[in-house]
Amino acid sequence: MSFVFEPAATPSVAVAGSEDRIPVRRIFCVGRNYAAHAREMGKDPDRDPPFFFLKPADAVVEDGATLPYPPQTGNFHYEAELVAVIGTGGRNISVDKALDHVWGYAVGNDLTRRDLQLTAREQGRPWDMGKGFDRSAPIAPVHPVAKVGHPFKGSIRLTVNGAVKQDADLSELIWSVPEIVSILSHSIELQAGDLIMTGTPAGVGPLVEGDTCVVSIEGLGDLTTIIGPRE
């Protein structure tokens, strides 16, 4: 057997302090997982079951990259996020066993074409074009649990050109990492290389050409993204 087209390269993310890399299988994102952000998006922050959307695996972008301002949007937003990396797959995982399946954590930025997302939401359509576009998932090198443990609390902050835009604590997550892993595993079978972006705090806002966006999470370092000219 031969492929009709040359297979695409396997998307991957770096490992902190190592030449090794983690192959990315899927990128799951949790919507509205901080109460204050739910309110700013016009939704009730009650602890309803979490909902998920996906980004393509090849949407990943390295730390320090310069990204072109994406097409078809005039309202391009940042969203600081903690990323959990699945190292051991499974289905129907219990909450008390969920962290056994997490290999490490990273700093992420859920870049969003907000105008496209909101239009889709108002029309009852999928968010794919607002969330899953090219280069929409900058992710810094992953830190193994063996070195950093499980970050249940700690600062998560985002700046644009040095000005603080998002400033919260991981303890403010409505649904914790083990709860997210467990709930997701009851819907689909998780696999090694699945990434979970766990939600963003309040303070989301626009990026423009020339901006430097830095996401920082206590114990995990920084993720820097520069916005280049429009495509």
Side-chain angles (χ1 to χ4, degrees):
M1 183 197 77
S2 61
F3 290 104
V4 174
F5 305 112
E6 187 70 20
T10 300
S12 65
V13 290
V15 175
S18 172
E19 294 298 317
D20 294 339
R21 299 186 67 85
I22 293 172
V24 178
R25 188 168 185 268
R26 295 172 291 190
I27 304 173
F28 296 96
C29 305
V30 185
R32 296 192 292 269
N33 201 24
Y34 287 80
H37 174 58
R39 293 189 192 97
E40 76 177 351
M41 296 301 290
K43 298 297 180 180
D44 193 320
D46 285 347
R47 209 165 183 262
D48 293 330
F51 69 93
F52 301 90
F53 57 92
L54 289 94
K55 290 176 180 280
D58 63 4
V60 295
V61 179
E62 297 283 323
D63 176 39
T66 296
L67 309 184
Y69 191 98
Q72 298 188 326
T73 183
N75 196 18
F76 178 43
H77 277 208
Y78 53 77
E79 293 192 7
E81 309 223 1
L82 171 69
V83 180
V85 178
I86 298 299
T88 304
R91 57 161 62 95
N92 300 326
I93 300 167
S94 63
V95 172
D96 63 323
K97 299 293 185 182
L99 292 181
D100 295 341
H101 294 259
V102 178
W103 188 88
Y105 295 90
V107 182
N109 194 341
D110 172 15
L111 295 176
T112 302
R113 296 194 287 195
R114 187 72 70 200
D115 40 3
L116 273 65
Q117 181 204 15
L118 294 181
T119 297
R121 190 179 78 179
E122 291 164 2
Q123 296 175 344
R125 295 176 178 175
W127 290 6
D128 299 59
M129 292 300 100
K131 287 287 193 177
F133 55 97
D134 295 340
R135 300 178 290 271
S136 60
I139 296 175
V142 180
H143 294 260
V145 167
K147 293 185 177 180
V148 299
H150 296 284
F152 286 103
K153 62 181 180 179
S155 171
I156 176 170
R157 175 179 290 193
L158 181 145
T159 65
V160 178
N161 304 326
V164 176
K165 301 296 184 179
Q166 292 182 283
D167 192 3
D169 194 279
L170 298 175
S171 63
E172 298 171 33
L173 283 167
I174 296 172
W175 294 92
S176 68
V177 171
E179 290 172 323
I180 292 167
V181 171
S182 177
I183 291 167
L184 191 52
S185 77
H186 282 76
S187 179
I188 54 93
E189 181 177 1
L190 289 171
Q191 298 283 351
D194 286 338
L195 275 52
I196 305 174
M197 303 185 84
T198 59
T200 194
V204 297
L207 292 166
V208 299
E209 295 176 31
D211 280 347
T212 296
C213 182
V214 180
V215 184
S216 305
I217 296 180
E218 186 176 337
L220 299 178
D222 300 334
L223 166 67
T224 300
T225 304
I226 300 167
I227 308 305
R230 181 183 289 271
E231 288 186 318

